[in-house]
Amino acid sequence: MIHLLVNATVHTLDDSLPLAQALAVKDGRIVEVGGTDEILWLREDEYELIDLEGRTIVPGFVDPHNHFSIGALEVFWPDCRRADSVEALQRLLASAAAEAPTGEWVRGVGYDHGRLPGRRHPTRADLDAAVPDRPALLMHYSHHQAVASSRALAAAGITRGTPDPPGGEIARDKAGEPTGLLFERAIGAVETASRAGWEARFVEVARAASLRYAALGITTIQDAAVTPAMARRYAEARVAGALAIDVGEIRVGSTGWFDPPDDAAPGAPVKLFADGGYRCAMRVGDRVSGFLFYERDALAARMLAAWRSGRAVVCHALGNLGVETAVGAIEDALAREPSGRGRVRIDHAMFLDRALIGRLVDLGVWTVVQPSFIWDHGGHSPSADLMLRPFATARAAGLGQAFSSDYPCGENAPLLGIQAAVTRRTRHGEPSGLEEALPAEAALRAYTLDAARVAGLDADRGSLVSGKRADFLVLSSDPLECRPEAIKDIRVLQTWVAGEPPMVQP
């Protein structure tokens, strides 16, 4: 059957025909895009005519840096994002322990120490009091630090004598004993163990999670931290038909997200961490702070090894020192392996200066950035030479940049991210670098065609062109014409994935 969608405003993201009124879909592909009368000529013996009465069609959103597997499992874990005291956190964990299967770890997600009195992190003793009989882990909202109970520390082999790993820190009290607070790479063993048992239930929750994504207009993602075990779970989910959207994988190793991906499952891109997240590697004047995971030569060697094994590389680099290290490593690796050009990108690149932007442009390296962080956190640059999320400056310089959410570290809704990029304001209306605002069309492109491009999928999706996969949305309003402050409130009325009959949203 051919589906004819007519009387619409169609933003194709195709420069040869940016605006159309109708499109035809058959066998999962776009047959034609054009005017309503033109599309009506394509009627066949079996056809469906859909009059959209002026509503807007855009390509399906692509999120190239998402953590679908972690977010899907969070239905099993207490949401601690709004907890404003240690006692509230303890109640949430104790309640979760009462409901968790016997022997399973207890895991809480999303706590924000900034909401707690004195901005004090909980301790192992606080978790021990709430969950005395099994390991417990409380993940920070950044997913780059966590608090482990005494049983969790013991299960991971973390003791008074355990040294800090490169790129991480085990917080200690005045007597030298671990407090339970772990930073960056130090969380690896406890974080991996805390979800190992829960991952067996991934297929059980994948369908509902992917439908939630579709309701937001997301049709394709890349899961940016897939362990070998989770790669097997994804294979099971696909066999079971449990994924309503397309999920690609960026692979990490089995010992932790931040560790070298030495045993990553074969085939897909690998992820390398240049620096931390919440405590990223920064250089401001003569002051250096945060965690750098690799020196330049070691990172270059890992890139070369990945390229020579046929893999692409996704490099996490957030602070300006982290980005500087990643850029230097890419320059060195390309000098030895020019075929690696186009097979590496930098995700986050939150703090940049003009020199770094220029080097990225010269290398042809794209960045994947998270506009929803503006909505959640705002912020300002720590120095006059350094820019925080400089979207407009990067665009003017010719730097390729795609949008993503980093969910559950950031808000999952692409329309909210687009609004944040256009308005540069937080949820409280506070400005955050108004001079770096993007036009709405550029922000939409960054979450569709440009996002597909960094995922290596732009030949097949990201724009509405004859022959491409029929991934598109029907929206209640036009994001390029409505007030910028109203973009996040646009409703996704229909989500089409590979031309399947639309998922109609409530």
Side-chain angles (χ1 to χ4, degrees):
M1 175 185 291
I2 191 167
H3 306 277
L4 309 175
L5 295 90
V6 301
N7 294 328
T9 297
V10 183
H11 293 295
T12 68
L13 278 296
D14 173 30
D15 291 339
S16 66
L17 181 68
L19 192 63
Q21 293 76 46
L23 57 82
V25 174
K26 184 177 181 181
D27 297 331
R29 296 280 161 181
I30 297 172
V31 176
E32 190 61 80
V33 182
T36 289
D37 291 342
E38 178 183 1
I39 295 302
L40 287 174
W41 277 104
L42 299 175
R43 283 176 289 192
E44 299 177 354
D45 290 341
E46 292 189 15
Y47 71 94
E48 179 186 25
L49 181 62
I50 304 171
D51 186 343
L52 291 177
E53 300 178 337
R55 294 184 177 90
T56 298
I57 294 177
V58 298
F61 296 126
V62 177
D63 189 334
H65 189 120
N66 195 290
H67 296 283
F68 178 90
S69 53
I70 297 301
L73 294 171
E74 285 194 352
V75 297
F76 297 129
W77 306 325
D79 184 347
C80 301
R81 291 174 178 85
R82 298 190 179 279
D84 56 7
S85 69
V86 170
E87 292 76 18
L89 290 169
Q90 289 175 318
R91 288 193 293 271
L92 288 166
L93 292 173
S95 177
E99 298 178 5
T102 301
E104 191 56 81
W105 280 55
V106 172
R107 175 170 166 141
V109 295
Y111 90 92
D112 180 356
H113 66 288
R115 296 177 61 90
L116 305 181
R119 298 178 60 86
R120 179 182 78 83
H121 290 277
T123 66
R124 62 192 291 182
D126 295 326
L127 271 62
D128 292 347
V131 187
D133 60 342
R134 67 176 88 186
L137 184 69
L138 182 58
M139 292 294 295
H140 191 259
Y141 72 83
S142 67
H143 285 69
H144 281 257
Q145 56 197 53
V147 182
S149 71
S150 296
R151 286 179 178 265
L153 294 172
I158 298 175
T159 67
R160 178 189 181 96
T162 303
D164 291 342
E169 179 185 345
I170 301 167
R172 305 171 195 273
D173 62 21
K174 293 180 180 179
E177 293 291 338
T179 66
L181 180 60
L182 307 170
F183 295 101
E184 302 294 350
R185 196 174 168 195
I187 76 171
V190 289
E191 193 285 322
T192 300
S194 73
R195 58 183 160 83
W198 296 104
E199 284 183 355
R201 300 176 65 180
F202 176 67
V203 176
E204 174 186 335
V205 297
R207 177 70 180 176
S210 59
L211 287 172
R212 291 194 295 271
Y213 278 57
L216 296 172
I218 302 168
T219 55
T220 298
I221 68 159
Q222 286 183 300
D223 189 326
V226 177
T227 64
M230 184 49 65
R232 293 190 291 271
R233 299 299 181 196
Y234 267 124
E236 294 169 358
R238 293 186 182 99
V239 169
L243 296 174
I245 63 172
D246 189 47
V247 179
E249 300 171 29
I250 299 168
R251 303 279 172 74
V252 295
S254 61
T255 59
W257 295 329
F258 310 131
D259 289 350
D262 293 329
D263 63 347
V270 292
K271 186 175 185 180
L272 298 174
F273 282 82
D275 67 348
Y278 193 80
R279 294 176 67 174
C280 59
M282 295 288 295
R283 189 199 308 275
V284 180
D286 295 330
R287 182 173 177 267
V288 171
S289 61
F291 292 102
L292 192 66
F293 285 25
Y294 297 98
E295 295 299 330
R296 173 173 172 164
D297 57 347
L299 186 57
R302 290 203 166 270
M303 289 179 185
L304 282 168
W307 293 342
R308 289 169 178 171
S309 67
R311 293 183 186 265
V313 173
V314 172
C315 188
H316 166 115
L318 199 152
N320 67 319
L321 179 56
V323 177
E324 178 185 318
T325 302
V327 169
I330 294 168
E331 290 169 340
D332 295 346
L334 286 175
R336 297 173 61 186
E337 191 73 45
S339 65
R341 190 172 298 276
R343 297 167 60 203
V344 61
R345 73 190 208 208
I346 293 180
D347 285 23
H348 303 309
M350 192 176 294
F351 293 93
L352 298 173
D353 58 30
R354 293 184 183 278
L356 275 175
I357 291 173
R359 290 170 71 185
L360 286 165
V361 172
D362 290 343
L363 290 168
V365 172
W366 280 60
T367 60
V368 176
V369 296
Q370 294 71 42
S372 68
F373 287 1
I374 298 168
W375 176 261
D376 283 330
H377 308 298
H380 301 280
S381 174
S383 73
D385 296 332
L386 208 53
M387 296 174 284
L388 174 61
R389 308 183 189 96
F391 300 161
T393 299
R395 178 171 179 256
L399 176 61
Q401 53 188 349
F403 284 170
S404 80
S405 67
D406 199 16
Y407 180 80
C409 301
E411 299 282 348
N412 208 21
L415 285 165
L416 185 151
I418 290 170
Q419 175 175 310
V422 173
T423 66
R424 297 289 301 206
R425 290 187 180 276
T426 71
R427 66 172 71 244
H428 305 297
E430 299 161 345
S432 179
L434 296 179
E435 70 280 2
E436 296 295 344
L438 289 181
E441 192 277 337
L444 176 63
R445 182 177 294 265
Y447 239 129
T448 52
L449 185 57
D450 290 343
R453 189 253 184 237
V454 298
L457 298 169
D458 53 313
D460 187 55
R461 63 199 76 172
S463 61
L464 303 178
V465 177
S466 298
K468 282 195 174 185
R469 201 171 92 149
D471 290 358
F472 61 90
L473 315 173
V474 178
L475 303 179
S476 63
S477 301
D478 188 340
L480 306 192
E481 296 295 334
C482 72
R483 292 184 304 105
E485 298 79 9
I487 294 174
K488 70 178 177 58
D489 298 319
I490 294 173
R491 289 179 295 125
V492 179
L493 302 175
Q494 297 179 7
T495 300
W496 292 64
V497 180
E500 289 296 314
M503 289 170 273
V504 180
Q505 316 309 339

